Amino acid sequence: MTARIGIVTFPGSLDDRDAARAVHLAGGEPVALWHDDAQIYGVDAVYLPGGFSYGDALRSGAIARFSQVMDTIKAAAAQGMPVLGVCNGFQVLCESHMLPGALTRNAHLRYRSRPQRLRVETGRTAWTNAFPDGAEVLIPVKHGEGRYVADEATLDELEAAGRVVFRYLDNPNGSMRDIAGVSNEAGNVVGLMPHPEHAVEALIGPSTDGLGVVASVLAHLSEGAAR
Amino acid sequence: MSPLKVAVDTVGVAEATPDEKQPWAELGLKEDEYQRIREILGRRPTQSELAMYSIMWSEHCSYKSSKVHLRQFGQKNPKTPRLLAGIGENAGVIAIDDHVAVTFKVESHNHPSYVEPKQGAATGVGGIIRDIIAMGARPIAVMDSLRFGAIDHPDTARVLPGVVDGIGHYGNCVGLPNIGGETYFDPCYQGNPLVNALSVGVLPRERLQSMQASGVGNTVILLGAKTGRDGIGGVSVLASATFSESGEDDARPSVQVGDPFTEKLLIEVCLELFDAGLVVGVQDLGGAGLTCALSETAAAGDGGMHVDLELVPLRAKGMEPHDILASESQERMLLIVDPAKAEEVLERSRRWGLLATEIGTVTDSGRLVVDFHGQTVVDVPPKSLADEGPVYNRPIAEPNDLGLIAVDRAETLPRPTTDAEIRQTVLDMAASPNLCDKSWITEQYDPSVFGNTVLGAPHDAGVVRLDERTGVGIAISLDGNGRFARLDPYTGAQLALAEAYRNVAVTGATPIAVSDCLNFGSPEDPHVMWQFERAVTGIADGCQQLGIPVTGGNVSFYNQTGRDAIHPTPVIGVLGVIDDVRQRIPLGLGRTGDTIALIGTTAEELSGSEWASVTHGHLGGVPPKVDLDHEMRLAELLSRLAKTEQLAAAHDLSDGGLAQTLVEAICHSGLGAQILLPEGADPFVYLFSESSGRVLVVIPRGQELAVRSACEQRGLPITPLGVTDANTDGLHLRDHFDITRAELEASWKGRIGARLGE
């Protein structure tokens, strides 16, 4: 059975269509979810896309955190449902305390978009099992507030527990320890600043490495179904 | 009793006090224009009416100086069944096939971007996006053409980062990919930078919207942001007058403030309402705000409208009726809706968190009547505002210095002669502000949202996929050259047209339509009017010959400070269609061992060139020749070779000539180039001439004969120049010099940020 991946549209979400295309190309079924609707209609996983939810008023992701749908997603994630947050979605996961740390203004104070080289530090998450540990990938970044920060103890803990999932090879924003993405303890919730959904077609993106992220969760879900 | 009632200047008060002194001159009206308003109304105008006439009859809204010349576009435009809506609409609409149409337009936001760079540029992007929505289309991309003063001037460090931040902030937040454009520096733009923004949208043909307020009894709804005090006087004060030399006038309050988040909601709500068939007529609120939207929709429809102005949601206290009518608050649209469907429109807007308010009704009275708390403050024939403004045939005079400039040819300037000097010139030119890498700017824009950007910056044209199933797509380029137009506005305008046309063709697309943004000095200067007339004629003649219509655009006059006008700068946007974006021709050098060749003829044409400007600060002589028949054959060839997949890469030759094209192709690919110039060619002229109609092509192995014969069949000269080579480090110019990739990149990259002091 085709896995159903929910994609949330907040007011100001921008990459929701791209996320749906990525899910479709990887062989999943995209399901549109609405910020103001607490129902998630039995989806198997959730993809929080990039954009500027609620105009990024207050702080990026600060208001989306309080939306109806996030309460349901948070509860489902605690039960093991895979959740991916990309860019603004990553910011929402941090604001919701589903992931540690915060994303602040880029160190150079400018928005920056470019194809970005990354290392996948661990294949032991629901969203990276298709990659060998240490795989190098090319996935676009585009953000003004993507500098990952956390206190030293948290960073040490993340490193020790293998929860730093993606690391920049040439840091575009001043993130601490070059961190591009992290996971929760269980590995089912992952957030990253680069955009896998913009690297799914050879004609359009700089690579097709982003497909591996969606392929990973599909594999993770079918494994769970088989068990 | 409300104190407002005492202050408001109603129609009744106006009738009772015919001799009241009115500030028509301060509002930019001429005495005879004021008298005409009195004749139309049969009394003095109220304060609100005076404000409305002064706005609608301003240069910006009425095109009163340009109208007599712009008629040429309508007269000379080739007839094409593709044109579904043209000049006079919010944006031109072109059919792509039986089901899908595309709408695009370029517009200036020059004056606000100088006064307040970030918000000025941001609201320029917002405004052009709303024009696209108003045609019923989903905006799918933006592009921009920017011109600043000298890069080292301290004020450029204020204006440029602000403008780029504004364009990026608005486009990125509203969620539109920026697919390219151009950035130039020239001291003539120091006090008058040019910010021209283009947007393109796509629509099913049956969703095409109109601005008509038709259907007596229909409801008038104001959708979007609340109305505030921002932007009052934007069009009449800012865009229709020259900056003073003292620079003391602070016009910042005339600049609007944008909120791209609200615009994003506006896009989604409008498209949902159009798709549900809930909208009879629609008009965006931009320059001139409610005044323009009410009078244009009423004039285009059944001729009458009644509005209760106190219903307009406000974000500032104490706004008077004339403030509300003149406010240029952003992110607003006016909808004309069947009253039976009004509740559904309000409900769908609420779902997105967007304000929607019923403010009036369509009537057949032939009058636009505006009440404020029950008192009539406006009662005018709407056509007198929208369509019957003044028209001037301003004096025209050829500039006195034209003959002197023509004989001061750049071909006579001292030029590099030794190989070492020419080699150094290649590097110096690559590092010059107009030719160097622009990624400091383009990295601040989102190129990829929607996932359909097939080619973006730094390609010659942006290419966007419209349909994932069929692969059909569009290509757009935006080009201008103020120096060529200064030397000869007719030829300069055609050179810009030819370049944009060629840039579209280089991707493999077929050019089908034009939008133009005409940036000039004061129309009250006969020399400027001469430049304007020549440029418009050049574009109209050129489009007639190329067989592609001008579908709309915008005129920006008064780009001058004191007596110093900018170079006449027509910026041309050309739209093309490509049947399958998978066949697009990219930039670069293909694979190692491919053949590099030049299509077109190189003459000794250095006047107005980048080389003359960079190395000598020189502007004189006559610009390169234009051959539009050659351009048409070239475009047809490129489209053919794209379909047969016989080109690995292609790149237009323009500013900086062949040398710059090679630098860009090498820096954009991982390969080197071995070049042998044709026998007898003067290396300097061959590398730096800016002859028009030339394209560098990279031909895959085994296709050389086929490509050569395709060129010969079309009478297009092709010259083999060399091969691409993975083992060559950078540029090898046989018998002359080598430049390594590291040297090329060190010259070409990182210049903008460094020179702005970042």
Side-chain angles (χ1 to χ4, degrees), chain A residues 17-18 21 110 113 142 201, chain B residues 138 443 445-446 451 758:
Chain A
R17 288 175 184 80
D18 303 68
R21 180 192 291 112
R110 298 202 183 285
S113 71
K142 44 167 207 176
E201 289 182 277
Chain B
R138 172 178 284 283
E443 275 193 358
Y445 305 148
D446 178 353
E758 296 251 342

Side-chain angles (χ1 to χ4, degrees), chain B residues 102-126:
Chain B
V102 162
T103 177
F104 79 126
K105 189 180 175 187
V106 56
E107 207 167 68
S108 64
H109 228 220
N110 303 338
H111 293 85
S113 300
Y114 176 70
V115 174
E116 212 298 282
K118 179 173 178 177
Q119 290 301 337
T123 52
V125 175

Side-chain angles (χ1 to χ4, degrees), chain B residues 416-432:
Chain B
T417 48
T418 67
D419 286 338
E421 286 169 355
I422 295 174
R423 182 182 187 280
Q424 190 57 45
T425 306
V426 172
L427 291 171
D428 292 347
M429 294 293 290
S432 67

Side-chain angles (χ1 to χ4, degrees), chain A residues 93-135:
Chain A
L93 291 177
C94 289
E95 287 286 341
S96 308
H97 305 297
M98 291 168 70
L99 291 174
L103 295 147
T104 60
R105 192 112 175 91
N106 293 350
H108 49 79
L109 303 181
R110 298 202 183 285
Y111 182 98
R112 173 172 279 167
S113 71
R114 68 180 192 194
Q116 177 65 47
R117 291 189 311 128
L118 303 171
R119 191 165 57 237
V120 184
E121 294 285 13
T122 171
R124 291 180 302 279
T125 77
W127 297 89
T128 55
N129 60 56
F131 300 97
D133 288 359

Side-chain angles (χ1 to χ4, degrees), chain A residues 4-159:
Chain A
R4 300 169 73 243
I5 316 289
I7 296 161
V8 178
T9 298
F10 298 100
S13 289
L14 301 177
D15 296 314
D16 41 353
R17 288 175 184 80
D18 303 68
R21 180 192 291 112
V23 167
H24 175 73
L25 288 175
E29 180 193 342
V31 176
L33 301 178
W34 183 246
H35 69 106
D36 205 19
D37 182 351
Q39 292 292 320
I40 58 170
Y41 303 95
V43 294
D44 302 304
V46 165
Y47 194 127
L48 300 177
F52 295 79
S53 58
Y54 304 92
D56 274 357
L58 201 56
R59 283 188 312 277
S60 307
I63 297 180
R65 169 197 169 184
F66 294 106
S67 63
Q68 296 260 355
V69 77
M70 281 310 296
D71 291 341
T72 312
I73 290 171
K74 197 169 178 175
Q79 301 299 312
M81 183 185 73
V83 176
L84 182 74
V86 171
C87 197
N88 193 233
F90 187 12
Q91 293 160 344
V92 174
L93 291 177
C94 289
E95 287 286 341
S96 308
H97 305 297
M98 291 168 70
L99 291 174
L103 295 147
T104 60
R105 192 112 175 91
N106 293 350
H108 49 79
L109 303 181
R110 298 202 183 285
Y111 182 98
R112 173 172 279 167
S113 71
R114 68 180 192 194
Q116 177 65 47
R117 291 189 311 128
L118 303 171
R119 191 165 57 237
V120 184
E121 294 285 13
T122 171
R124 291 180 302 279
T125 77
W127 297 89
T128 55
N129 60 56
F131 300 97
D133 288 359
E136 289 192 9
V137 295
L138 185 66
I139 294 180
V141 290
K142 44 167 207 176
H143 56 249
E145 299 185 5
R147 179 172 177 256
Y148 186 76
V149 296
D151 60 66
E152 287 296 321
T154 304
L155 293 173
D156 288 342
E157 197 183 309
L158 289 174
E159 301 270 14

Side-chain angles (χ1 to χ4, degrees), chain B residues 52-84:
Chain B
M52 292 175 84
Y53 279 102
S54 76
I55 293 167
M56 292 304 290
W57 288 11
S58 69
E59 186 64 58
H60 184 87
C61 290
S62 72
Y63 288 77
K64 58 187 167 189
S65 304
S66 54
K67 227 175 203 169
V68 293
H69 304 292
L70 298 177
R71 284 183 191 136
Q72 287 192 64
F73 292 141
Q75 289 155 1
K76 294 179 183 171
N77 258 351
K79 297 280 169 280
T80 158
R82 280 188 187 274
L83 189 63
L84 305 182

